[in-house]
Structure formats: C-alpha cells, structure tokens
C-alpha cells in the first residue's frame, strides 16, 4: 500500500519489506536528530493493523500469545509473539486494548498469515478478528513529543514513543500538523541504538525468543500454556540459547554498510575463518556512526573482535552468553 506521504518534498521511497513509505526525506541525520529530540513523526502506514474484539478477546489471546494479556489494563501497551510448536518465532504483535478492542500492528506482509492462524483458533470463543489495514495507518511519535493526538485515536504508548492508529483518510492532514517527517532509515537507526529486535530482520526460521532478549518484554515466564512454551521453559531452565544478539560498532569508511545476512567471522582467524554469525540490521547513526545488530553463536567470547564481510566490528553484549 503506497503512502500518500511519498508526495512530501524530498521523499525517497524505501525498498524491500518497507516498500510503500519513505526511507528518508533528503537528510537522514537531521531526521534522526529530530526524532531523538522528540520532534517530528514517522510514517509506518505500510504496517498491518489487526483488531480483536468481543467479550473473550483477552482471555482468548492469552492462550495464543507469549505475553500475559488476560487482565491487560485498557491503554497499557505491550508486545507479544506467536511461536511455532518448536518455539521458533513466527509473528510479533505490538498491542494495546482500548477497553473494547485489542489493536495490534504487525510487520508488513505478515497480516494475512497471522489472521489465518487466529481465525483457525477461534473455536467457540466470543471474538472477532478483523484486518483494519485499509482503514487505519500507524504513525509513530518519538518519546517526548508534544504533537497533538486527534480525539478518538487509539494510542499505544511505550518508553520509546507513541504509535497512533490513525484513520488512513486523515493521514495527510495529520502530517501537515505533526511537525517534520522522518523516514524509515531514521527510525531504524534509533531502533538499532535501542537494541530492539525486529521480526524478519533479527529473526530467521529458527530464532527463539531468548536469543534476542525478548524474554520479559514480549514473553511472560509465569503464564499458562501456549504453543512453543516447552522450548521457552527448557531454554530458560538450561540457560543455553544457541545464539545471542550483539550490538556492533563498525570500523572504517561509512560508504559501505554490511548488508543483512553478511557473514561474521573472528578477526584473528582471517577471511577463511569459520562463520560465527551474521549481521541482521546495519545503520548509520547520527552520533555513533556505522553500527549494527547481529546474531552470533553463544560461545563467541564477548571481547572477541569480529569482521563483518571485510568490515572490522567491536561487539557489545545485548544478550548474555
């Protein structure tokens, strides 16, 4: 779905999974600084919007999600995962309940499969699942923003900002009042700085929540059964996830960033050394320079110098080995 905000001055379209919104509006670092200072907004209207309504919505979702939501207070934001039977991450949902309906936004291209799964699990529960993407667009306001929120708009507020479920028909009018627009590249740079994983970027077909530090924020360890819980409990008790998320400071020129999937090797083993991980997201940050998130094998020493393709990288621990 192509955003009307691509008509704003300087807008350069994003590519790949984020196609349909702007990558930037002509000045990546200015846009980052604006978000860091609590001004402006980010067009996330390419993300899917799903609602679950009905008297059983919270108790039903509680059975399916990794998060404890059976008594989720109205207006309190949370995030949750849906796992496979083997505990691998399949979906990530960013939720808020408005008192009558649960609103969630999800990664582009995932809503159809997610809705199909949810529909298959309804059984006798009093719930209604709806795809609201055609009618509502997600807009992100950074932490500290004083931008006005229109009456009646559902808001998901977190420590890093507010996500607005804005009527899609009002997107252009809201953008005209919300301050300077920032593109996806600026939003992603701050996400990497905050070490927040993203489905499809920090995950592959075998990722489990422990590897990314999603325990706590998206996985509740004291709730009842859900699909994949056995894997979560086993890894939690043994303390040995096969991989761990790291934050990388990338050395050298800013001209080249190692792409998603770039192989990581130990620097002291040279270019023919064994692969010990891969880059998941790399960005240019307005203060930190070129940085990245990556997945490495659990037993890689935390002080080991790494090489991403041909770029030297120093790691910071995100998930403890």
């Amino acid at each position: 779905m192509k955003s009307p905000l691509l008509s704003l001055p300087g807008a350069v379209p994003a590519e790949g999974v984020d196609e349909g919104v702007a990558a930037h509006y002509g000045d990546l670092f200015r846009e980052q600084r604006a978000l860091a200072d609590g001004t402006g907004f980010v067009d996330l209207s390419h993300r899917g919007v799903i609602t679950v309504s009905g008297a059983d919505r919270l108790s039903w979702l509680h059975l399916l999600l990794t998060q404890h939501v059976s008594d989720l207070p109205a207006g309190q934001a949370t995030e949750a995962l849906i796992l496979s039977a083997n505990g691998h991450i399949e979906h990530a949902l960013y939720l808020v309940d408005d008192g009558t309906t649960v609103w969630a936004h999800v990664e582009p291209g995932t809503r159809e499969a997610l809705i199909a799964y949810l529909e298959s699990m309804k059984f006798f529960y009093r719930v209604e699942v709806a795809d609201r993407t055609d009618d509502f667009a997600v807009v992100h306001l950074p932490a500290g923003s004083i931008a006005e929120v229109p009456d009646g708009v559902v808001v998901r507020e977190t420590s890093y900002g507010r996500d607005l479920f804005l009527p899609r028909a009002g997107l252009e009018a809201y953008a005209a009042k919300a301050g300077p627009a920032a593109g996806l590249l600026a939003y992603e740079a701050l996400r990497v700085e905050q070490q927040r994983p993203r489905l499809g970027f920090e995950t592959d077909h075998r990722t489990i929540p422990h590897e990314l530090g999603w325990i706590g924020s998206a996985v509740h360890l004291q709730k009842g059964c859900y699909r994949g819980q056995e894997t979560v409990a086993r890894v939690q008790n043994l303390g040995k996830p096969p991989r761990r998320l790291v934050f990388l400071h990338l050395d050298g020129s800013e001209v080249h960033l190692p792409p998603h999937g770039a192989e990581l090797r130990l620097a002291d083993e040279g270019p023919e050394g064994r692969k010990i991980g891969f880059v998941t997201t790399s960005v240019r940050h307005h203060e930190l320079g070129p940085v990245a998130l990556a997945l490495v094998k659990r037993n890689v020493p935390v002080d080991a110098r790494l090489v991403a393709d041909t770029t030297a990288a120093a790691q910071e621990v995100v998930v403890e080995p």
Side-chain angles (χ1 to χ4, degrees):
M1 186 173 296
K2 186 177 179 180
S3 172
L5 302 190
L6 284 171
S7 63
L8 291 178
V12 175
E15 299 178 347
V17 69
D18 289 322
E19 183 180 5
V21 295
H24 62 84
Y25 295 89
D27 193 337
L28 172 61
F29 290 157
R30 178 191 60 77
E31 294 165 31
Q32 284 187 39
R33 287 191 290 268
L35 293 180
D37 291 339
T39 60
F41 72 96
V42 183
D43 177 12
L44 299 180
S45 62
H46 64 316
R47 294 182 65 83
V49 176
I50 295 172
T51 60
V52 181
S53 56
D56 296 334
R57 66 190 184 283
L58 292 177
S59 58
W60 176 68
L61 285 171
H62 187 78
L63 299 173
L64 305 178
L65 305 180
T66 57
Q67 188 57 275
H68 195 301
V69 297
S70 60
D71 53 0
L72 183 68
Q76 179 176 309
T78 191
E79 56 189 76
L81 308 174
I82 290 178
L83 308 180
S84 72
N86 293 321
H88 301 139
I89 299 169
E90 291 188 344
H91 294 283
L93 298 85
Y94 299 85
L95 309 166
V96 68
D97 185 81
D98 68 2
T100 61
T101 302
V102 173
W103 293 75
H105 64 80
V106 298
E107 288 294 332
T110 66
R111 73 182 192 273
E112 294 90 349
L114 174 57
I115 290 173
Y117 171 70
L118 294 176
E119 289 286 353
S120 74
M121 301 300 292
K122 286 171 65 172
F123 304 118
F124 55 84
Y125 289 95
R126 295 170 297 172
V127 295
E128 189 67 36
V129 179
D131 183 352
R132 307 300 301 276
T133 310
D134 287 344
D135 300 320
F136 289 89
V138 180
V139 171
H140 176 77
L141 301 177
S145 171
I146 60 172
E148 181 180 353
V149 177
D151 292 340
V153 168
V154 175
V155 178
R156 181 180 176 274
E157 185 163 4
T158 69
S159 60
Y160 54 86
R162 289 177 290 169
D163 298 332
L164 279 54
F165 293 90
L166 193 74
R168 192 172 287 274
L171 182 57
E172 287 182 278
Y174 184 75
K177 301 184 297 183
L184 253 294
L185 292 180
Y187 180 83
E188 285 288 279
L190 298 188
R191 178 182 70 82
V192 170
E193 178 193 14
Q194 296 156 359
Q195 302 174 358
R196 294 188 288 115
R198 181 180 175 188
L199 183 77
F201 287 69
E202 279 62 59
T203 67
D204 58 19
H205 66 283
R206 60 190 180 96
T207 305
I208 60 175
H210 296 77
E211 296 176 324
L212 304 183
W214 250 328
I215 301 300
S217 64
V219 179
H220 196 288
L221 295 175
Q222 306 302 320
K223 61 162 289 185
C225 292
Y226 54 88
R227 190 174 70 174
Q229 185 194 20
E230 295 83 358
T231 297
V232 170
R234 182 171 63 251
V235 174
Q236 182 68 19
N237 292 331
L238 294 176
K240 294 183 178 180
R243 302 176 296 183
R244 60 184 178 87
L245 187 68
V246 297
F247 181 82
L248 299 179
H249 293 271
L250 302 172
D251 294 338
S253 171
E254 294 189 21
V255 173
H256 172 74
L257 285 176
H260 174 82
E263 293 185 352
L264 283 171
R265 304 178 189 278
L266 295 174
D268 59 6
E269 291 188 0
E272 303 303 319
R274 70 187 188 281
K275 177 184 175 182
I276 51 86
F278 63 94
V279 172
T280 59
T281 306
S282 59
V283 298
R284 294 183 176 89
H285 191 274
H286 70 287
E287 289 183 340
L288 301 176
V291 292
L293 293 174
L295 275 176
V296 300
K297 293 181 179 179
R298 178 178 56 83
N299 59 1
V300 172
V302 298
D303 58 351
R305 296 282 297 180
L306 308 178
V307 175
D309 279 347
T310 59
T311 303
Q315 58 170 316
E316 287 185 15
V317 174
V318 177
V319 174
E320 295 288 341

